[in-house]
């Protein structure tokens, strides 16, 4: 397993330390899980999963030297009531992520 999702600095530190301790060379993939506003989901999981905007930007920057593959992900929510929630949520995140490019 070489791809991992993180949503806080402690998880990234633990991942870095565990990978270093194994001595196993290889390309590491790090996916920063983004927190999203509840939107129209029935259950509000926004406080349970994902990094807040400011934290996610810092995590992406910290993960870059460790990761051969770097990405982002998010959970649209449980029992989402709109057909295509991704577009609006990606636009919400674009204001934070675009300056990193």
């Amino acid at each position: 397993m070489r791809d991992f999702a993180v949503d806080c600095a402690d998880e990234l530190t633990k991942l870095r330390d565990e990978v270093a301790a194994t001595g196993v060379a290889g390309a590491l993939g790090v996916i920063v899980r983004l927190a999203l506003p509840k939107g129209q989901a029935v259950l509000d999981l926004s406080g349970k999963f994902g990094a807040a905007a400011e934290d996610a930007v810092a995590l992406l920057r910290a993960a870059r030297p460790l990761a051969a593959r770097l990405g982002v992900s998010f959970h649209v929510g449980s029992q989402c009531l709109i057909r295509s929630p991704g577009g609006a949520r990606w636009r919400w995140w674009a204001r934070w992520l675009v300056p990193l490019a």
Side-chain angles (χ1 to χ4, degrees), residues 7-20:
D7 56 14
C8 70
D10 288 342
E11 288 178 351
L12 185 60
T13 298
K14 182 171 61 172
L15 176 61
R16 183 195 64 220
D17 294 348
E18 290 295 322
V19 168

Side-chain angles (χ1 to χ4, degrees), residues 7 32-36 49-51 56 60 72-75 90 93 97:
D7 56 14
V32 175
R33 187 173 29 226
L34 308 174
L36 296 174
F49 299 109
L60 286 163
V72 295
S73 69
F74 63 87
H75 186 286
W90 279 120
W93 266 101
L97 299 178

Side-chain angles (χ1 to χ4, degrees), residues 37-64:
K38 177 183 177 246
Q40 295 186 24
V42 173
L43 300 176
D44 185 3
L45 300 176
S46 60
K48 184 174 183 180
F49 299 109
E54 300 84 2
D55 298 332
V57 170
L59 279 171
L60 286 163
R61 288 184 174 140
R64 177 70 281 173

Side-chain angles (χ1 to χ4, degrees), residues 82-88:
I82 55 177
R83 176 176 268 174
S84 180

